[in-house]
Every structure is written in structure tokens, then in C-alpha cells.
């Protein structure tokens, strides 16, 4: 029997496959069994409701997509009162993604989520390219000091495992990851989307209502892999690899580059069966290669 | 809704750039309602990546038909598919038209907007209602399904911007002319699909005549089921407040008066 379970801080996951924030929700229950994978990361919530960006919010790129949703959500209270019960109990860990304009907002979110049994861990979305963060220039995840500050602020408030979600738009992602680790993060997840554009040459206007958005999908996978590999050289906490994973082959690449877990995002829109199929594929890959514990594969990239 | 491995029965060009595909699926035949749509995976690879949302054109005994215009990469790939090939479809999706009991119903279509209205016309006629279909397009070649609508028993009027078919002008011109006749009124609901400018005009005309009007909207989508929040439409909550609803999950059919045009 192959061991697939991995740990993020004190959280034990039954397997390393996760569904990424904003790409997977209870709406998929009619199509697939959402209970087979290790964790589901709920769509990012903020303290107060956010209307999101004006349409169009979606555009396609070669082997990728651009989105500028703008963190539309109904806020913390609605999540607790109406959304959380829609996620399956027990079998699959529920990780809640949160974002705030200030450390105070992150803290308020944490205080409320601490009290909810169903929440297994928190992902700090420090890197959404579609929102402006208070008075700060750029993203929290683009500044080591800001990352430390936010992670430290919430670390003091919770025993829940904390995952810092990082932006690829930095000169040294490993350095940012190291700052998150030092500040007490239990894991880092990378990468979020790349700021990107697409243009309609007939109307001569951007295809997205918000001018630009975030690029995701297979187009960004090779860059994400390199960032996971670089980060793996610098941090000891688990890395959650994200970026264009469409199947188990992609997931195994990430694991070999140092990822303990993988998140599947854009692929859910293409085929919602992808997370479960990726898990099946990883399991057979391990069996075929006579590896009885997935943890033995992490970072085992030959040279 | 289900994710289905369906089979293509037929995929034929019906006008330059426009195709009709017949898809075998007992499930879609049984479950689809006029106004709903399906998410079609055009390519097995990653380019084009996203599924394409396409309206259910007709509901037939053993499946459904879709009618589509080749406008980009996805529909181009789709147009090359052959009889017997498999097709990965998620559907049926969305809410569909709310069929209102009425002696006469008015259907207004612009261009490829005829796509979801054929199933609706067939349904309305089967309920023994009288149906008037107004079709508008820029030119004759883009007036689609005129004969098919007539075959259902509906009365069809057309308008083209260049005057090559029917009245010279816009489909909303014939709608306005028609509504001046005393036989129409609040009892004749309007169902419309087409470009957003046309829909806004239809909504305005319906509003000023106090006629209930439902419109089927189109928007770029990713998931098609309400997960990604990628296809918003601005809805009026009150005279000063708005909210976004999702075309995929809350629509694609909306009451015209609810939309902040």
C-alpha cells in the first residue's frame, strides 16, 4: 500500500492533491465526488463583501486563461453563515483563503475562523493581482517586510496551519518564501497568476474590463516549476506547487522539484475530474516506480 | 447537469461561417430546457483551453442540436469535427426561459441569437400558442433558420440592415411597428437573444409598452456552473443599487427589466 499522506504543519492530509482557491466549489458536487482529494481551498474571502471587477472578467490565451474577478465575495459573515456548510465534512480538509487590505483585516478574519471546527488551515492570499492593497504599493507578496509583518500578525492569533500564497512577480521568490517561513508560516503556496493582458484588435480595447488580469494555466507551468525548485533550495517548510497542472505528469514534476502538495486550478474549468484523476495518476506512478511513500519523491530531482 | 461523453451525429455548415451540430445524448435530450446551454470542450489539448458555452438550439429525440458561428479558435476547431467523433460536454446548464402562458408570444432574434430560440419556439408552438418570430441580421446570408422557424408553425418576419432580406432596417424596427397593432400588448411576452445593443433596445421597447420580456445573455465563461465568478451581469437591486449576477448560474435568461443596461 502506497502512503500518500503528507503534512502541512500539524495538519495531516490524506493525499497531496488540492483544489486551488477560486476554481473549485460546492457547485461541482453535482459533477464529481469532491471528497477524494486531500484538500479544497475555498475562494478567497475578505472581511466585508467585495463586488468584484467589471466584465468581461475572462479571456483566453494560448494554453492559458486570464481572469480579473477582483475577489468578488460576500464577506466573512456570509461565508460562515451560508457557505461553509456546503463543503463536505471530514474526508477532505477545508482550507480557507483570506485576503485583507490591512493586517487588522487579516486578524479579524482569523479570529472568526479560529472558532470554526471545519476549518483545517488558512491560506493567506498575499498575491492577488486584481486588487489594490490599501496604501501599500504593489502586492504584499512583493515585499519581504510586508510578508513578515502580515504572517507574524496572524501567527500570534492562531494555531491553525498558515499557508502564505506568493506572487511570481518578484525578483527572488525564494527570499520572500524564506521571510514567510521565518515569520511563522507553516507552508508556502506558489505561484499565483501573472499580471497579463489581451487585446481585441477590432475594437482596439483590452479584452478584460479591468484592463489587465492574471494569467494561469499550462502556459505558466515551466515558470512555476522553476520557482518551486528555487524555493525548495531555501526553505524547510512544505511548498505547495501551483501553476498549470493538468494531470499527474505535471503534478509529479512539481513534486520532484520540491513540492509537498500540488494545487489544481484552471484545469478544473476545463475538466472538473482533473484533481481526482491526478490523484489516481500519482498513485499508479508511485506503484509503477516502486515508491511506497510519496514523501520520498519530494525534491528528488536528479542532476 | 452531468459531464458526458457524447457522440456527434452530424456537423454541417448552414451558412458561410455558421454550423449546426447534432449531438447524441439521451440525457441531454431528456433534461434540456429551452434557453439552457452546454459547455463544450473543443480540443483535447490545452489550446484552446477553455470550454465554449453554446445554447441548446433544438431538443431532439435522442439528443440536442447546437448552432454556432465560427468566431475564434474554439469554434474553428469545433467546425472541423466529423460525424462519429466524441464530444465532452457538461450540461444542461443555466436556468432556461420561463415559459409564460399567452395566446401569442413574440420571439426576437439578432444574428446567431436565433440559436437558443428555436427550442423555445418549438416548445411554445407545442403548447398551442401562436408564435411570431422576428429575425434581424446585417445581411441575408446571416438570417438563420427562417425556414426552420416557419416549419414549427410560427409566423416569421425578417429585417436586414442592407435590405437584402425582409424590411430594410433593424429587427427592433419591425418589433416597434408590430406593437403598434392593437392585438399585441401585455399579453404577448417577448423572448429575445442577440447582440447586447439589440437586447437593450428590445428591453427599452418592452418596457415602454409594459410587456414582460426575457433576454438570453452571452458572456465569456470559464467554469459555466457558478464557481469562477467570471461571467457577471449588472443587475438593478433598487434605483441606486446594483449587484452582479452570473450569466452561467443565475442566467443566461434574465428578466429584461432587472438588467442595468
Amino acid at each position: 500500500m502506497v502512503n500518500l499522506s503528507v503534512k502541512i504543519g500539524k495538519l495531516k492530509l490524506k493525499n497531496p492533491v488540492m483544489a486551488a482557491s477560486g476554481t473549485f466549489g460546492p457547485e461541482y458536487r453535482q459533477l464529481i465526488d469532491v471528497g477524494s482529494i486531500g484538500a479544497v481551498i475555498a475562494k478567497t474571502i475578505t472581511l466585508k463583501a467585495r463586488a468584484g471587477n467589471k466584465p468581461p472578467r475572462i479571456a483566453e490565451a494560448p494554453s492559458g486563461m486570464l481572469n480579473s474577478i477582483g475577489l468578488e465575495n460576500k464577506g466573512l459573515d456570509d461565508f460562515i453563515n451560508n457557505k461553509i456548510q456546503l463543503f463536505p465534512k471530514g474526508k477532505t480538509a477545508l482550507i480557507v483563503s483570506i485576503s485583507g487590505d490591512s493586517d487588522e483585516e487579516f486578524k479579524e478574519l482569523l479570529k472568526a475562523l479560529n472558532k470554526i471546527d471545519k476549518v483545517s488551515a488558512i491560506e493567506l492570499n498575499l498575491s492577488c493581482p486584481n486588487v489594490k492593497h490599501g496604501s501599500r504599493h504593489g502586492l504584499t507578496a512583493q515585499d519581504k517586510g510586508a510578508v513578515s509583518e502580515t504572517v507574524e500578525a496572524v501567527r500570534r492569533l492562531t494555531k491553525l496551519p498558515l499557508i502564505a500564497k506568493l506572487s511570481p512577480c518578484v525578483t527572488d521568490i525564494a527570499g520572500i518564501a524564506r521571510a514567510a517561513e521565518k515569520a511563522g508560516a507553516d507552508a508556502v503556496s506558489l505561484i499565483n497568476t501573472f499580471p497579463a493582458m489581451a487585446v481585441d484588435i477590432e475594437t482596439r480595447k483590452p479584452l478584460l474590463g479591468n484592463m489587465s488580469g492574471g494569467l494561469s494555466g499550462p502556459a505558466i507551468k515551466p515558470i512555476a516549476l522553476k520557482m518551486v525548485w528555487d524555493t525548495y533550495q531555501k526553505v524547510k517548510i512544505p511548498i505547495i506547487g501551483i501553476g498549470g497542472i493538468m494531470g499527474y505528469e505535471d503534478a509529479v514534476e512539481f513534486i520532484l522539484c520540491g513540492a509537498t502538495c500540488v494545487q489544481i486550478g484552471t484545469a478544473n474549468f476545463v475538466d472538473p475530474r482533473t484533481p481526482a484523476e491526478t490523484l489516481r495518476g500519482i498513485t499508479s506512478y508511485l506503484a509503477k516506480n516502486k515508491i511506497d511513500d510519496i514523501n520520498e519523491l519530494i525534491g528528488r530531482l536528479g542532476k | 447537469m452531468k459531464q458526458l461523453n457524447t457522440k456527434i451525429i452530424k456537423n454541417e455548415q448552414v451558412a458561410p461561417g455558421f454550423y449546426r451540430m447534432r449531438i447524441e445524448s439521451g440525457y441531454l435530450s431528456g433534461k434540456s430546457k429551452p434557453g439552457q446551454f452546454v459547455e463544450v470542450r473543443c480540443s483535447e489539448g490545452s489550446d484552446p483551453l477553455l470550454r465554449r458555452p453554446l445554447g441548446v438550439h433544438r431538443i431532439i429525440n435522442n439528443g440536442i442540436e447546437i448552432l454556432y458561428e465560427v468566431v475564434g479558435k474554439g469554434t474553428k476547431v469545433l467546425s472541423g469535427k466529423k460525424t462519429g467523433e466524441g464530444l465532452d460536454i457538461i450540461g444542461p446548464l443555466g436556468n432556461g426561459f420561463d415559459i409564460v402562458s399567452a395566446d401569442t408570444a413574440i420571439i426576437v432574434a439578432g444574428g446567431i441569437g436565433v440559436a437558443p430560440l428555436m427550442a423555445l419556439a418549438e416548445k411554445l408552438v407545442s403548447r398551442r400558442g401562436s408564435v411570431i418570430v422576428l429575425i434581424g441580421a446585417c445581411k441575408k446570408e446571416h438570417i438563420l433558420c427562417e425556414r426552420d422557424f416557419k416549419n414549427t408553425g410560427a409566423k416569421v418576419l425578417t429585417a436586414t440592415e442592407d435590405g437584402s432580406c425582409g424590411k430594410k432596417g433593424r429587427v427592433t424596427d419591425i418589433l416597434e411597428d408590430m406593437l403598434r397593432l392593437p392585438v399585441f400588448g401585455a399579453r404577448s411576452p417577448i423572448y429575445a437573444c442577440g447582440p447586447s445593443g439589440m437586447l437593450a433596445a428590445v428591453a427599452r421597447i418592452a418596457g415602454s409598452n409594459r410587456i414582460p420580456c426575457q433576454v438570453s445573455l452571452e458572456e465569456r465563461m470559464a467554469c459555466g456552473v457558478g464557481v469562477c465568478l467570471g461571467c457577471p451581469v449588472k443587475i438593478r437591486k433598487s434605483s441606486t443599487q446594483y449587484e452582479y449576477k452570473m450569466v452561467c448560474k443565475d442566467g443566461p435568461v434574465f428578466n429584461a427589466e432587472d438588467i442595468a443596461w
Side-chain angles (χ1 to χ4, degrees):
Chain A
M1 189 63 190
V2 177
N3 174 50
L4 287 164
S5 74
V6 292
K7 280 180 89 177
I8 300 289
K10 66 178 166 101
L11 174 66
K12 191 173 173 184
L13 296 171
K14 62 178 178 175
N15 63 63
V17 179
M18 301 176 166
S21 178
T23 68
F24 200 87
E27 291 82 358
Y28 279 133
R29 277 182 309 183
Q30 283 188 61
L31 293 174
I32 46 163
D33 169 19
V34 296
S36 71
I37 58 174
V40 168
I41 296 121
K43 175 157 179 74
T44 300
I45 54 164
T46 48
L47 194 54
K48 296 274 182 295
R50 286 179 58 98
N53 291 332
K54 67 174 183 181
R57 291 181 178 176
I58 301 283
E60 204 175 47
S63 297
M65 71 175 270
L66 293 100
N67 86 80
S68 71
I69 311 298
L71 295 188
E72 174 175 342
N73 78 102
K74 293 202 165 107
L76 172 70
D77 292 343
D78 178 76
F79 180 76
I80 291 175
N81 298 329
N82 304 318
K83 297 270 164 62
I84 203 155
Q85 65 263 31
L86 302 175
F87 288 91
K89 253 194 193 140
K91 297 195 291 178
T92 296
L94 172 64
I95 299 176
V96 179
S97 169
I98 61 173
S99 177
D101 285 339
S102 65
D103 290 348
E104 289 312 309
E105 284 190 21
F106 274 105
K107 281 158 110 176
E108 291 237 10
L109 286 158
L110 237 302
K111 279 180 205 160
L113 294 168
N114 264 336
K115 295 177 198 145
I116 297 166
D117 287 345
K118 212 170 175 180
V119 178
S120 301
I122 300 289
E123 184 174 77
L124 304 169
N125 184 354
L126 309 173
S127 48
C128 178
N130 295 321
V131 296
K132 291 193 172 68
H133 291 274
S135 57
R136 274 186 199 135
H137 295 290
L139 309 169
T140 303
Q142 286 174 319
D143 182 316
K144 277 184 203 172
V147 168
S148 297
E149 209 180 285
T150 303
V151 174
E152 264 172 30
V154 291
R155 178 73 288 170
R156 281 196 287 271
L157 291 177
T158 188
K159 292 197 171 80
L160 285 170
L162 286 176
I163 303 161
K165 186 165 180 179
L166 305 183
S167 167
C169 284
V170 291
T171 45
D172 173 22
I173 197 161
I176 303 273
R178 184 83 187 101
E181 179 179 43
K182 276 192 198 154
D186 296 287
V188 283
S189 52
L190 55 129
I191 52 180
N192 207 320
T193 57
F194 282 88
M197 288 177 71
V199 173
D200 182 332
I201 62 164
E202 299 304 327
T203 62
R204 302 182 194 173
K205 286 179 180 170
L207 278 175
L208 294 172
N210 195 42
M211 184 73 78
S212 70
L215 177 65
S216 63
I220 70 168
K221 192 193 79 176
I223 312 174
L225 273 176
K226 166 81 164 96
M227 291 192 160
V228 165
W229 174 247
D230 288 349
T231 302
Y232 184 65
Q233 313 306 312
K234 292 279 173 62
V235 301
K236 296 203 166 56
I237 52 174
I239 298 164
I240 302 168
I242 323 166
I245 296 173
M246 299 293 285
Y248 82 93
E249 299 94 332
D250 299 328
V252 170
E253 280 191 72
F254 274 93
I255 295 167
L256 287 169
C257 285
T260 296
C261 297
V262 290
Q263 287 183 19
I264 289 161
T266 302
N268 293 315
F269 304 145
V270 181
D271 189 340
R273 297 173 299 201
T274 309
E277 280 178 5
T278 300
L279 174 61
R280 264 198 296 279
I282 293 174
T283 313
S284 0
Y285 175 87
L286 292 173
K288 195 181 90 188
N289 289 282
K290 302 192 169 48
I291 300 167
D292 52 17
D293 186 342
I294 184 140
N295 293 281
E296 287 164 25
L297 195 66
I298 300 169
R300 295 296 167 86
L301 189 64
K303 282 181 192 150
Chain B
M1 84 176 84
K2 270 189 185 175
Q3 184 170 357
L4 304 155
N5 295 314
T6 66
K7 203 167 88 183
I8 297 167
I9 305 173
K10 205 176 190 182
N11 188 21
E12 57 179 353
Q13 182 168 301
V14 292
F18 294 89
Y19 289 77
R20 179 167 48 211
M21 183 184 277
R22 183 171 279 216
I23 295 156
E24 186 176 83
S25 165
Y27 180 81
L28 288 176
S29 167
K31 297 283 180 183
S32 300
K33 291 189 298 182
Q36 289 190 300
F37 68 99
V38 293
E39 278 264 68
V40 178
R41 186 160 185 192
C42 300
S43 139
E44 280 179 23
S46 65
D47 192 22
L49 183 65
L50 297 171
R51 287 171 185 268
R52 295 296 187 263
L54 296 164
V56 172
H57 177 55
R58 285 184 70 216
I59 302 158
I60 52 175
N61 268 337
N62 58 341
I64 58 164
E65 285 182 2
I66 53 176
L67 181 78
Y68 59 97
E69 182 178 4
V70 174
V71 290
K73 238 185 230 176
T75 40
K76 178 99 177 62
V77 173
L78 207 57
S79 71
K81 300 228 181 243
K82 304 273 183 294
T83 300
E85 279 188 57
L87 197 63
D88 174 353
I89 290 185
I90 296 175
L93 300 169
N95 57 358
F97 289 102
D98 181 17
I99 304 217
V100 186
S101 287
D103 294 338
T104 307
I106 303 168
I107 287 178
V108 188
I112 189 64
V114 295
L117 298 171
M118 180 62 70
L120 175 72
E122 288 181 336
K123 179 84 180 175
L124 290 169
V125 169
S126 76
R127 290 169 56 123
R128 295 162 195 267
S130 126
V131 179
I132 299 170
V133 180
L134 313 180
I135 312 173
C138 53
K139 56 182 177 180
K140 187 173 193 263
E141 293 72 33
H142 289 185
I143 295 279
L144 304 170
C145 305
E146 186 180 358
R147 204 182 56 215
D148 297 330
F149 276 113
K150 280 181 179 159
N151 287 343
T152 68
K155 181 172 161 55
V156 182
L157 296 168
T158 59
T160 48
E161 282 172 35
D162 66 358
S164 55
C165 175
K167 187 183 165 90
K168 182 172 173 20
R170 299 190 162 175
V171 70
T172 42
D173 300 337
I174 36 177
L175 176 64
E176 279 187 303
D177 289 349
M178 207 178 73
L179 292 176
R180 284 193 198 100
L181 304 175
V183 291
F184 299 105
R187 287 153 165 269
S188 310
I190 296 176
Y191 304 89
C193 184
S196 61
M198 180 208 105
L199 292 182
V202 171
R204 207 164 43 238
I205 295 164
S208 60
N209 286 277
R210 297 172 193 276
I211 298 174
C213 175
Q214 296 174 45
V215 294
S216 174
L217 302 183
E218 188 178 43
E219 185 56 81
R220 285 172 189 272
M221 291 180 188
C223 72
V225 298
V227 168
C228 74
L229 309 184
C231 57
V233 53
K234 210 172 185 183
I235 297 289
R236 225 181 278 282
K237 266 173 96 178
S238 66
S239 55
T240 53
Q241 280 192 307
Y242 301 97
E243 66 177 336
Y244 283 129
K245 292 215 169 188
M246 293 304 137
V247 172
C248 70
K249 194 182 169 203
D250 305 312
V253 179
F254 292 89
N255 282 320
E257 60 185 356
D258 295 339
I259 295 172
W261 293 101

